[in-house]
Amino acid sequence: MKLADPSTSYVLIARDGADTVELLTGEVVDVDLLADIPLDDDGSAREVFAMVPYRQVRERGFEAQDDGTPLRCLLVATHEHIPTAELLAQLPDAPIPLRDGGFDLSDEEYAGIVERVIADEIGRGEGANFVIRRDYTASFDGDDRTAALTWFRALLEHERGAYWTFAVVTPGHIAVGASPEAHVVARDGVVTMNPISGTFRHPAGGATKESLTEFLSSTKETEELFMVVDEELKMMSAVCSDGGRITGPHLKEMSRLTHTEYMLRGRSRLDPRDVLRETMFAPTVTGSPMQNACAVIRRHEREPRGYYSGVAALFTPNAHGGHDLDAPILIRTVYIDGGRLRVPVGATLVRHSDPLGEVGETHGKAAGVLGAIGAIERDHVAEAQEDPDAPTVPRPLADDPEIAALLASRNARLADFWLQPQEAPGTGPFAGHRALVVDAEDRFTTMLAHQLRHLGLDVTIAPWDEVADAAVDAAELVVAGPGPGDPRDGSSPRIARMREVVARRMDAGRPLLAVCLSHQILADRLGIPLVPLNAPHQGVQKTVPVFEEEASVGFYNTFTARVAPGTGAVGPAEVSADAGSGDVYALRGERFASVQGHLESILSRDGIRTLHRLVAHALG
């Protein structure tokens, strides 16, 4: 068998639902940038498989520890499809015991990091959720390549529901995994993303309708999924002309774990390497907003990530002379090096995370991977499935009418706007008007810009640190965007610049719409106090007064502008505030308006209508 040849580099891929395993062989080259992935061979399109490490987020200007993990490419020379049963007969299956297994961080250390992230990062408004990882490591006896093939076989035999089951064997870098999540797929101009969040570990005896119902009813699990959908829609709005449409939710049922997921689809003409760059990386394994999530990971993770949370990417020539892209996330993956095994796992931390619960989630994820490869004793679920009298594939719980109804009921909380086809109309109520959106480091601005275009505006997005005063002054409408951080922090160059943008428009009496962070900055300029909330509103849906109407809006804020209850005006501004707390939800005056919530969020059921009203007011 040529896989035993130590000089051969290869990739094995079993895609969900296929009865064959794909074997790719070829030359290995390492490149610096995604743009350097060599899709062209002397004028002819060629197939390339790439392992994209987490450190490539630096291509987007984001922070990452540079551990030198290569952007590794296999230039595909042969691509075979082998019947799964035929391949299984050739793969080794002798058990490989592990020694000295354990996490690199103790449970106490990891729980302490969770507490600090909740208090110091989410509590200071740095973001809505963050994923912090720890690594399970162990030693084993034997050859690395044999271990890779043994564990790949175990995954083929015992894991189900994975998007890709794979083994990558190249000099110095060997990985075996069963990823549940297709991060981004581009085929024939259609881009698909698959945000998955919420992890239900099957209890003793296997998953039941009752235990799954309890999981699906969890506010924490539901809001985690909504937040990652919001974050991936930001990416979709950046790469797709039609912004992206949501379908789902669905259950992703695997052997030991069940997840909840949505599908996002839109159309794009970008090179697939550019699509991949603009979608680095999934918020389900990093956090949101993405740029700040990378900074938080840099502050709290002790070691670089390597390939964890990156992607495996297969670029395949298509009939149109370009390439299709299929790129699952590198999670549920074992990395093998010199008789050592490493399994990175992470937990999604949100405002109401329980540190011990997040510790337990990392244990569950590591055990799921180790059990699936047979490196530890397989649990009751796997044993039940290996019963010869048991069905080959258990009946999906998603087929149960009550479970299906419970899943579908989640969409009642979401904005119809994002559940519909999103091709922007040729005209809209503001056709002929132009807007400049200033991005304060939260790519919610891409979704906001898409909605503004849907309303007919011609929109340009400019980063806060690149937009010139002349552009701010010349714009017909400036939309000062949202962003992370403390709006009171004048030492922050970003906060200081957003203050200047708001001040220039207010001083000139030119149309201004301020959103979230910029709304707080506008309120501060008007003399309204800014205070931290008792509990952050990260991914919270509220029905609030926005002048003449009540609006269902999604909130991602840790700070708020606050007036005395009953206050209806401050200086030149009308105030729309909570009757009890005095928290200010919206402001408006001559040629300006602002809103605390994110009207572009999937949680803003009344978002597009409220945005229309506020833009109309600002434009006068």
Side-chain angles (χ1 to χ4, degrees):
M1 185 179 182
K2 61 185 174 183
L3 300 185
D5 183 347
S7 66
T8 301
S9 293
Y10 62 86
V11 177
L12 292 166
I13 302 170
R15 306 195 206 208
D16 190 20
D19 58 3
T20 62
V21 176
E22 298 168 59
L23 169 61
L24 287 63
T25 63
E27 176 190 358
V28 170
V29 298
D30 296 338
V31 298
D32 292 329
L33 304 172
L34 290 172
D36 299 331
I37 295 174
L39 301 185
D40 183 85
D41 181 17
D42 293 329
S44 299
R46 70 173 159 203
E47 188 169 37
V48 178
F49 173 88
M51 290 283 282
V52 183
Y54 172 75
R55 72 187 185 102
Q56 294 303 131
V57 296
R58 295 178 306 149
E59 289 194 43
R60 293 183 59 188
F62 300 168
E63 291 187 41
Q65 295 186 66
D66 186 1
D67 56 353
T69 302
L71 172 47
R72 174 147 293 184
C73 301
L74 181 85
L75 310 183
V76 179
T78 66
H79 189 154
E80 305 174 48
H81 291 259
I82 305 171
T84 302
E86 179 183 321
L87 181 65
L88 283 171
Q90 302 179 62
L91 294 176
D93 63 353
I96 301 177
L98 300 183
R99 294 180 283 103
D100 307 320
F103 282 101
D104 58 338
L105 298 175
S106 71
D107 289 353
E108 293 76 15
E109 289 175 303
Y110 188 77
I113 292 173
V114 172
E115 290 175 345
R116 289 195 295 277
V117 170
I118 294 170
D120 299 341
E121 307 292 359
I122 298 175
R124 291 205 319 260
E126 296 302 318
N129 57 85
F130 302 110
V131 179
I132 302 297
R133 88 175 205 291
R134 63 198 299 218
D135 293 351
Y136 184 93
T137 63
S139 300
F140 62 89
D141 294 323
D143 174 68
D144 288 356
R145 286 176 169 244
T146 301
L149 292 173
T150 302
W151 291 336
F152 178 69
R153 174 179 180 147
L155 290 173
L156 286 179
E157 290 184 312
H158 304 296
E159 186 56 277
R160 66 181 176 91
Y163 179 72
W164 269 23
T165 301
F166 60 91
V168 180
V169 178
T170 65
H173 290 278
I174 297 177
V176 182
S179 176
E181 187 170 349
H183 175 51
V184 62
V185 176
R187 291 195 180 103
D188 296 324
V190 176
V191 174
T192 304
M193 298 186 73
N194 177 209
I196 293 177
S197 190
T199 300
F200 171 56
R201 189 181 185 197
H202 299 169
T208 64
K209 183 170 77 173
E210 292 72 24
S211 59
L212 184 58
T213 296
E214 182 180 358
F215 163 73
L216 292 176
S217 302
S218 164
T219 298
K220 174 184 180 293
E221 301 292 351
T222 301
E223 291 185 352
E224 274 188 26
L225 180 59
F226 289 162
M227 284 189 276
V228 298
V229 172
D230 256 340
E231 192 67 20
E232 294 206 2
L233 266 177
K234 298 176 188 180
M235 298 175 179
M236 291 291 289
S237 295
V239 301
C240 296
S241 59
D242 54 357
R245 178 187 182 185
I246 303 170
T247 59
H250 310 287
L251 286 183
K252 169 69 73 173
E253 297 183 61
M254 304 183 73
S255 298
R256 296 158 182 79
L257 304 169
T258 292
H259 305 282
T260 46
E261 65 179 358
Y262 277 92
M263 300 299 293
L264 315 179
R265 289 185 176 87
R267 300 200 66 84
S268 178
R269 297 178 181 175
L270 294 179
D271 182 293
R273 291 167 294 192
D274 295 329
V275 170
L276 191 53
R277 181 186 303 105
E278 290 301 312
T279 58
M280 292 192 298
F281 283 114
T284 51
V285 284
T286 52
S288 63
M290 181 67 196
Q291 184 164 352
N292 251 33
C294 291
V296 169
I297 288 167
R298 180 69 178 83
R299 286 195 287 270
H300 293 278
E301 290 189 357
R302 297 181 185 176
E303 300 294 333
R305 286 194 162 197
Y307 289 113
Y308 172 72
S309 74
V311 297
L314 182 61
F315 298 87
T316 303
N318 58 32
H320 309 294
H323 285 77
D324 293 335
L325 168 67
D326 193 0
I329 301 175
L330 288 169
I331 54 175
R332 311 294 162 80
T333 299
V334 178
Y335 299 94
I336 303 166
D337 184 17
R340 292 284 294 172
L341 161 153
R342 181 172 62 89
V343 180
V345 291
T348 301
L349 313 184
V350 296
R351 68 184 189 281
H352 38 42
S353 284
D354 169 44
L356 295 181
E358 304 300 356
V359 167
E361 181 164 330
T362 62
H363 277 276
K365 288 179 176 176
V369 174
L370 296 168
I373 66 173
I376 61 174
E377 183 178 352
R378 292 193 179 92
D379 58 25
H380 55 275
V381 179
E383 291 165 2
Q385 290 168 1
E386 291 160 13
D387 182 344
D389 297 324
T392 303
V393 179
R395 177 178 179 268
L397 285 169
D399 290 348
D400 184 279
E402 292 182 31
I403 294 294
L406 184 57
L407 269 174
S409 69
R410 290 185 170 190
N411 286 352
R413 293 184 58 186
L414 304 186
D416 285 341
F417 180 85
W418 295 107
L419 297 171
Q420 307 300 321
Q422 286 302 308
E423 190 64 47
T427 60
F430 302 117
H433 292 278
R434 301 172 67 88
L436 171 67
V437 178
V438 182
D439 185 344
E441 290 185 9
D442 187 337
R443 292 186 73 185
F444 260 130
T445 51
T446 61
M447 293 169 67
L448 185 58
H450 174 69
Q451 287 194 324
L452 292 167
R453 293 184 184 111
H454 189 87
L455 293 173
L457 288 143
D458 183 353
V459 181
T460 301
I461 301 175
W464 67 270
D465 55 347
E466 296 180 15
V467 64
D469 286 345
V472 173
D473 295 342
E476 180 182 3
L477 170 68
V478 165
V479 179
D486 186 339
R488 304 167 299 180
D489 182 9
S491 65
S492 162
R494 178 170 50 84
I495 300 295
R497 180 56 178 156
M498 295 307 294
R499 287 178 177 177
E500 291 172 358
V501 168
V502 168
R504 294 186 76 88
R505 296 299 289 190
M506 291 291 286
D507 290 344
R510 299 276 286 153
L512 169 71
L513 174 63
V515 178
C516 196
L517 174 72
S518 295
H519 156 85
Q520 296 163 3
I521 288 171
L522 173 61
D524 181 62
R525 176 181 169 82
L526 294 170
I528 300 174
L530 303 178
V531 297
L533 293 164
N534 291 332
H537 289 164
Q538 298 292 350
V540 173
Q541 185 180 58
K542 299 177 67 176
T543 298
V544 300
V546 182
F547 304 110
E548 296 85 2
E549 294 184 11
E550 296 284 307
S552 177
V553 176
F555 287 81
Y556 287 84
N557 63 301
T558 299
F559 297 88
T560 185
R562 184 171 289 164
V563 296
T567 301
V570 173
E574 293 180 66
V575 176
S576 188
D578 186 273
S581 67
D583 290 353
V584 178
Y585 299 129
L587 297 164
R588 70 180 181 186
E590 187 174 355
R591 297 286 176 157
F592 70 86
S594 71
V595 63
Q596 176 60 77
H598 285 264
L599 304 180
E600 68 282 3
S601 166
I602 62 169
L603 293 172
S604 293
R605 290 182 296 174
D606 299 316
I608 192 72
R609 187 177 76 251
T610 305
L611 181 62
H612 183 177
R613 293 171 53 217
L614 295 179
V615 169
H617 179 88
L619 287 172

